[in-house]
Amino acid sequence: MRIIQTLLVVLILISSTVLCQDVGKIFIEKDAIPLFGEVTAEQEIAVSDLSNFARNTEKGLSFGIINNQVYVLGDQRKQLSNNVKNISSETVVHFFSKKKVLEFLSLSSKTAVIKVQVRKTGVLTLSNGTYILEFAQPCPPYCG
């Protein structure tokens, strides 16, 4: 029984490490509407700000929109953007791994802003006009 418990713990640790490394998937923008629905809320964030935020985190970034303001959180839900104050630990945000955010930013070199979008299906996407980043993990419970 003890061996099974140990194997289970090791499996969970390996799984969480693998998941943390690659959270999110990049799609072509035109495929977003049939997959995720129409945009119901949208705010912009500067590519330069997003790049700076990515430099200040190890695991990934979490996003949300409150009162028509985009907010960005880093590791351990550390607030990186200063436009929204006091985000509670119960507020659900959308986590993307740093690896996927950086990959998405590399495809965004010709744009100055990224659109943070909430879609009709309730998912949050990042859009650069050509590509979108989706398949974020909700935080909580999964916070990278």
Side-chain angles (χ1 to χ4, degrees):
M1 185 69 171
R2 184 121 176 117
I3 293 173
I4 293 172
Q5 288 175 334
T6 304
L7 287 174
L8 185 59
V9 169
V10 169
L11 182 62
I12 290 170
L13 289 173
I14 290 171
S15 296
S16 65
T17 302
V18 170
L19 287 173
C20 180
Q21 293 177 4
D22 209 17
V23 177
K25 184 173 179 180
I26 296 172
F27 295 88
I28 297 172
E29 176 82 21
K30 67 181 176 79
D31 296 335
I33 292 173
L35 289 172
F36 310 115
E38 298 283 338
V39 174
T40 59
E42 178 178 270
Q43 293 297 319
E44 295 181 345
I45 185 168
V47 169
S48 58
D49 289 343
L50 197 50
S51 295
N52 287 334
F53 296 153
R55 277 190 228 113
N56 290 315
T57 189
E58 290 183 28
K59 295 179 182 178
L61 297 173
S62 298
F63 298 84
I65 297 177
I66 293 179
N67 298 326
N68 294 320
Q69 295 287 318
V70 175
Y71 59 92
V72 183
L73 306 177
D75 297 336
Q76 287 83 44
R77 294 179 63 105
K78 177 183 175 192
Q79 191 163 337
L80 300 174
S81 57
N82 58 8
N83 54 342
V84 177
K85 302 292 182 206
N86 301 322
I87 299 166
S88 79
S89 61
E90 291 84 33
T91 300
V92 176
V93 294
H94 304 269
F95 174 83
F96 294 106
S97 65
K98 180 176 181 175
K99 178 181 174 183
K100 277 299 178 184
V101 171
L102 292 174
E103 181 182 346
F104 179 72
L105 285 172
S106 74
L107 299 170
S108 305
S109 61
K110 295 183 180 181
T111 186
V113 295
I114 297 297
K115 295 176 183 176
V116 179
Q117 304 169 324
V118 177
R119 298 199 174 252
K120 192 174 184 176
T121 56
V123 301
L124 182 136
T125 59
L126 303 183
S127 171
N128 66 10
T130 305
Y131 298 98
I132 65 161
L133 178 61
E134 216 295 84
F135 288 166
Q137 294 291 323
C139 167
Y142 179 81
C143 297

